[in-house]
């Protein structure tokens, strides 16, 4: 009974204290595709992706009902950084749903023309950006006026504020209605009530959060993909205490809040915390501590290179390739070392039994496309007379029009398809994850290469297959599965079966190496087919925008060399960045990884413009 009454009271107070309009809310996940198109159409940086913003803690003036309910402290505000544009996951600031949709449109237009405001210049900067946006896009003027007047109408009454807060609120309202008219924000207690029409300074994670005490090594997560949070958090490292004895402490306050860091030495626990994800979502500030001693029952796995006896077989010292430094906007020569390697313990074998039926079906389908012998008619010499040419010659001779050197023969000649394809497979550690309940991603990649190779061999197409992974710039592994000169057969099947998940995904270097190989082929049409399950990354700076820009430059270099890059991915977030990397209609997103083996041959026919 007490719980029932408590829940009713909680719902009543929250409903009375509410200052938003949930019945008119609009969600970012529904508006995302439209906003992405508008952002790029208005000239926004195509390398940025649109993501949900995390709520941040503020201390604006609150009504007494909000204080009782404990609300009015968390706000999801719009901001942007070098990697993304962050928008509120839900907008319910206006009582009309159409106005909430217009607010998303206005924020994305503002972000397309802006960078990041400095905290001390936030008021002046936003007014200038509003004027600049309206100057460049006059058609947004009526929309902004509706949003501005509507926002002023729903802001709290001035009577609920003290004198200093009233001056600050009047300044904000004037700046909203008349951009450029206010130069400084009056000082008052607490924070000002957020302005949903403006952009806010970005949340910079603490510098300590990006450092590693172990020299940059990562701990294996057992092949599972990390779970993605809804937004970015503030973070810092906290020094753990040096206590030797664990102490289990229960605080009653933890029933209501998880946001405080308590420096109490607790016993190490090897079990998984099922509530960890939910608690992390509720936190505003993540404090991470590193314990100096490892638990006795824990095993730390370092992604170190194996010994030479256990590693794949290197084919030489490797090649030094350049890399695009996005921060410096220049190409760094001889920066990455790409090492060609043969899979270790690759034993020649036949096509796996489970793929035999599908392989035979594909071979029959692609054999129809094999170049056929054709007859060149009306030749001056040849093994066989051309009957039609002979009849025409006899008729012309009776009319006195015969040629002194008649072409009465025909010759048989083969038609050659002017096509070459290079398949480049991502063999990073993430391929160890499971694509379904039974198969890992690496299993799907192996099956796909088996079947695609059967199809291309039956069609008599020139093709090669390689795989790649990396561990920093000086060790980019380029696995040789089949080169263009090698025939398809059991040795290649054995190398495919010997493929194992590697390390990280330095995609730009692998694409440059593949480009060097493919552009040497004399074919007129040269296809670079990339299979991957994630975005570029590595242990060093090759993360986020840096890796994306280097990959994009590598793809631009491939196109300049006359190649046609195409990407097939199972990364469900790939739609956010692949259009920027490969361009529209140059990638395919698989929602079910198990479909890859049967999809690739069909996709190949589509890309090469052929039909069986």
């Amino acid at each position: 009974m007490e719980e029932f009454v408590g829940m009713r009271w909680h719902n009543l107070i929250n409903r009375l204290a509410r200052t938003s309009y949930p019945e008119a809310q609009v969600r970012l996940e529904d508006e995302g595709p439209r906003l992405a198109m508008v952002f790029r159409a208005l000239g926004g940086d195509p390398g940025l992706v649109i993501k949900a913003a995390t709520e941040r803690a503020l201390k604006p003036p609150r009504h007494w009902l909000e204080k009782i309910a404990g609300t009015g402290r968390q706000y999801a505000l719009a901001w942007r950084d070098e990697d993304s544009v962050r928008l509120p996951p839900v907008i319910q600031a206006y009582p009309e749903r159409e106005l909430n949709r217009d607010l998303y449109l206005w924020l994305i237009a503002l972000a397309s023309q802006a960078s990041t405001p400095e905290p001390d210049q936030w008021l002046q900067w936003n007014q200038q950006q509003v004027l600049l946006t309206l100057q460049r896009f006059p058609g947004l003027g009526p929309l902004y006026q509706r949003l501005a007047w509507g926002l002023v109408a729903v802001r709290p009454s001035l009577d609920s504020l003290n004198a200093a807060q009233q001056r600050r609120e009047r300044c904000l309202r004037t700046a909203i209605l008349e951009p450029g008219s206010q130069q400084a924000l009056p000082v008052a207690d607490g924070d000002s009530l957020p302005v949903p029409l403006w952009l806010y300074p970005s949340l910079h994670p603490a510098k300590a959060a990006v450092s590693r005490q172990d020299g940059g090594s990562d701990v294996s997560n057992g092949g599972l993909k990390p779970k993605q949070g809804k937004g970015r958090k503030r973070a810092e490292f906290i020094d753990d205490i040096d206590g030797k004895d664990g102490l289990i402490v229960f605080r009653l306050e933890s029933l209501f809040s998880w946001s405080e860091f308590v420096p109490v030495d607790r016993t190490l626990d090897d079990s998984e915390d099922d509530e960890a994800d939910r608690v992390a979502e509720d936190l505003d500030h993540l404090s991470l501590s590193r314990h100096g001693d490892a638990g006795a029952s824990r095993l730390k796995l370092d992604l170190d290179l194996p010994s030479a006896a256990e590693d794949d077989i290197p084919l030489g010292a490797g090649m030094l390739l350049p890399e695009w430094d996005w921060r410096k906007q220049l190409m760094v020569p001889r920066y990455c070392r790409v090492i060609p390697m043969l899979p270790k313990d690759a034993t020649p074998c036949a096509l796996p039994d489970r793929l035999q039926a599908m392989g035979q079906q594909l071979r029959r389908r692609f054999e129809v496309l094999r170049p056929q012998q054709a007859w060149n008619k009306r030749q001056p010499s040849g093994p066989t007379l051309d009957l039609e040419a002979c009849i025409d010659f006899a008729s012309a001779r009776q009319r006195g029009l015969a040629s002194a050197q008649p072409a009465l023969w025909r010759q048989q000649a083969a038609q050659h398809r002017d096509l070459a394809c290079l398949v480049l497979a991502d063999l990073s550690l993430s391929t160890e994850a499971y694509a379904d309940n039974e198969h890992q991603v690496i299993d799907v990649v192996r099956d796909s290469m088996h079947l695609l190779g059967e199809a291309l061999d039956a069609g008599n197409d020139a093709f090669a297959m390689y795989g790649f992974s990396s561990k920093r710039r000086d060790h980019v592994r380029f696995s040789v599965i089949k080169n263009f000169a090698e025939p398809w057969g059991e040795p290649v099947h054995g190398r495919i079966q010997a493929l194992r998940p590697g390390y990280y995904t330095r995609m730009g270097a692998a694409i440059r190496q593949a480009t060097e190989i493919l552009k040497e082929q004399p074919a007129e049409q040269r296809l670079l087919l990339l299979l991957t399950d994630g975005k570029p990354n590595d242990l060093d700076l090759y993360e986020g925008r840096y890796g994306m820009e280097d990959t994009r430059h590598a793809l631009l270099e491939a196109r300049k060399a006359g190649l046609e890059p195409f990407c097939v991915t199972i990364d469900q977030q790939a739609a956010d960045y692949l259009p920027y990397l490969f361009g529209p209609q140059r990638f395919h997103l698989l929602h079910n990884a198990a479909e890859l083996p049967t999809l690739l041959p069909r996709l190949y026919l589509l890309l090469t413009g052929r039909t069986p």
Side-chain angles (χ1 to χ4, degrees):
M1 186 62 181
E2 291 180 0
E3 182 180 358
F4 174 77
V5 173
M7 289 301 299
R8 288 298 182 94
W9 171 254
H10 174 78
N11 294 335
L12 175 62
I13 291 298
N14 276 272
R15 185 169 62 254
L16 295 176
R18 186 181 298 154
T19 57
S20 59
Y21 304 91
E23 65 280 359
Q25 70 175 5
V26 179
R27 307 185 66 85
L28 178 61
E29 61 184 3
D30 300 327
E31 298 293 315
R34 177 179 74 112
L35 297 178
M37 180 183 64
V38 172
F39 180 74
R40 288 163 177 79
L42 296 181
D45 188 344
L48 301 182
V49 296
I50 300 174
K51 296 184 177 180
T54 305
E55 291 183 342
R56 61 179 77 182
L58 298 176
K59 297 181 179 179
R62 295 191 297 168
H63 192 267
W64 65 273
L65 283 172
E66 291 180 293
K67 295 178 181 179
I68 295 176
T71 59
R73 290 292 197 189
Q74 302 290 331
Y75 294 90
L77 306 174
W79 53 281
R80 60 167 284 179
D81 57 14
E82 63 182 19
D83 295 323
S84 59
V85 175
R86 300 279 176 163
L87 298 180
V90 176
I91 290 183
Q92 49 191 11
Y94 296 93
E96 295 87 11
R97 189 173 186 276
E98 194 61 33
L99 283 178
N100 290 321
R101 293 187 77 245
D102 289 344
L103 180 53
Y104 267 133
L105 181 61
W106 168 254
L107 287 174
I108 205 66
L110 190 64
S112 69
Q113 307 301 312
S115 55
T116 301
E118 295 295 333
D120 56 345
Q121 299 292 327
W122 171 75
L123 177 68
Q124 302 92 320
W125 183 90
N126 270 291
Q127 294 180 84
Q128 294 171 1
Q129 292 301 319
V130 169
L131 292 175
L132 177 63
T133 304
L134 293 177
Q135 180 182 359
R136 291 183 178 177
F137 310 111
L140 294 176
L143 180 144
Y144 178 78
Q145 289 298 321
R146 292 196 306 270
L147 293 174
W149 284 105
L151 180 61
V152 171
V154 298
R155 290 177 77 84
S157 172
L158 295 176
D159 296 337
S160 61
L161 308 176
N162 60 39
Q165 292 172 346
Q166 288 183 13
R167 289 193 295 271
R168 182 175 63 187
E169 179 63 21
R170 289 193 183 96
C171 174
L172 288 174
R173 295 186 183 194
T174 304
I176 293 171
L177 297 175
E178 301 174 11
S181 61
Q182 303 299 308
Q183 300 303 318
L185 191 65
V187 178
D189 297 336
D191 299 317
S192 61
L193 191 68
V195 181
L197 285 172
W198 292 350
L199 299 181
Y200 279 72
S202 62
L203 288 173
H204 295 291
K207 293 182 180 180
V210 299
S211 63
R212 289 188 174 96
Q213 297 179 5
D214 55 2
S217 62
D218 283 356
V219 179
S220 172
N221 62 354
L224 299 178
K225 288 188 175 181
K227 296 183 179 180
Q228 299 290 334
K230 293 182 179 178
R232 184 174 295 182
K233 305 286 187 181
R234 292 180 181 270
E236 65 178 355
F237 273 123
I238 300 293
D239 292 334
D240 203 352
I241 61 178
D242 296 329
K244 299 299 182 182
D245 298 325
L247 175 63
I248 299 178
V249 174
F250 173 74
R251 299 199 318 156
L252 185 62
E253 294 89 334
S254 64
L255 291 174
F256 306 100
S257 173
W258 297 90
S259 62
E260 298 181 27
F261 173 76
V262 184
V264 176
D265 184 27
R266 295 174 171 84
T267 53
L268 295 177
D269 185 8
D270 294 336
S271 61
E272 293 290 338
D273 187 355
D274 296 333
E275 296 293 317
D277 294 335
R278 181 184 63 81
V279 172
E281 286 296 332
D282 292 339
L283 289 175
D284 302 320
H285 195 107
L286 296 181
S287 299
L288 306 178
S289 63
R290 187 183 295 275
H291 198 282
D293 300 326
S297 60
R298 286 190 175 185
L299 176 64
K300 182 177 180 180
L301 301 178
D302 186 11
L303 294 180
D304 199 1
L305 296 175
S307 64
E310 300 297 331
D311 200 2
D312 289 343
I313 306 171
L315 303 177
M319 177 186 298
L320 289 174
L321 296 178
E323 184 169 280
W324 174 256
D325 190 324
W326 169 68
R327 292 181 174 87
K328 297 180 181 178
Q329 290 293 300
L330 56 84
M331 187 72 75
V332 183
R334 299 174 59 83
Y335 191 73
C336 295
R337 182 175 296 276
V338 179
I339 305 174
M341 310 188 82
L342 278 176
K344 182 179 174 59
D345 299 330
T347 304
C349 64
L351 182 69
D353 293 339
R354 67 180 184 282
L355 302 178
Q356 286 288 346
M358 178 64 69
Q360 293 176 4
Q361 180 181 352
L362 287 174
R363 293 195 72 90
R364 288 194 297 269
R365 184 178 181 184
F366 273 72
E367 281 174 352
V368 179
L369 304 174
R370 183 185 290 270
Q372 302 295 325
Q373 297 290 333
W375 289 98
N376 294 329
K377 299 181 178 181
R378 299 181 186 274
Q379 301 296 311
S381 62
T384 308
L385 281 171
D386 185 345
L387 181 60
E388 183 179 351
C390 291
I391 293 175
D392 290 344
F393 175 74
S395 175
R397 186 175 61 178
Q398 290 194 4
R399 296 196 307 269
L401 302 175
S403 172
Q405 297 180 344
L408 305 177
W409 306 89
R410 62 176 184 169
Q411 291 180 334
Q412 197 175 41
Q415 293 182 346
H416 298 282
R417 185 177 299 114
D418 209 8
L419 176 66
C421 175
L422 189 148
V423 182
L424 183 61
D426 176 4
L427 302 178
S428 59
L429 185 66
S430 57
T431 59
E432 197 175 16
Y434 276 82
D436 52 35
N437 294 331
E438 298 179 359
H439 303 97
Q440 294 176 301
V441 174
I442 189 66
D443 297 328
V444 176
V445 172
R446 293 192 198 103
D447 291 352
S448 302
M449 301 186 83
H450 280 304
L451 293 177
L452 182 60
E454 288 289 312
L456 299 186
D457 178 64
N460 202 26
D461 287 338
F463 69 100
M465 291 181 171
Y466 298 88
F468 74 96
S469 69
S470 66
K471 187 176 181 184
R472 298 188 178 90
R473 65 184 180 90
D474 57 346
H475 194 87
V476 181
R477 304 163 68 88
F478 199 76
S479 300
V480 180
I481 303 170
K482 177 191 177 302
N483 58 33
F484 280 102
E486 185 177 12
W488 177 258
E490 292 188 353
V492 180
H493 283 300
R495 292 178 202 146
I496 294 176
Q497 284 299 106
L499 294 177
R500 297 292 182 269
Y503 300 93
Y504 301 94
T505 316
R506 208 173 197 96
M507 198 175 290
I511 292 175
R512 289 186 177 92
Q513 177 68 12
T515 299
E516 292 296 322
I517 296 172
L518 188 54
K519 72 180 184 181
E520 294 178 356
Q521 298 302 309
E524 181 179 352
Q525 184 180 7
R526 292 170 290 184
L527 176 64
L528 174 58
L529 186 58
L530 177 64
L531 310 180
T532 182
D533 68 334
K535 63 173 59 175
N537 67 53
D538 210 331
L539 281 175
D540 49 18
L541 295 176
Y542 209 83
E543 275 289 349
R545 189 73 183 272
Y546 186 100
M548 297 273 290
E549 292 294 340
D550 176 60
T551 302
R552 180 171 179 268
H553 267 264
L555 291 168
L556 291 176
E557 295 165 19
R559 293 190 184 95
K560 289 180 181 178
L563 312 186
E564 300 178 21
F566 192 91
C567 179
V568 180
T569 181
I570 62 174
D571 181 12
Q572 299 308 306
Q573 283 76 44
D576 294 335
Y577 60 88
L578 281 188
Y580 178 61
L581 296 183
F582 287 84
Q585 309 301 321
R586 302 305 301 171
F587 66 92
H588 184 86
L589 174 59
L590 268 179
H591 295 284
N592 183 5
E595 299 175 356
L596 183 60
T598 56
L599 169 75
L600 273 185
R602 298 199 308 267
L603 188 60
Y604 178 81
L605 292 177
L606 179 64
L607 293 175
T608 55
R610 296 153 58 193
T611 55

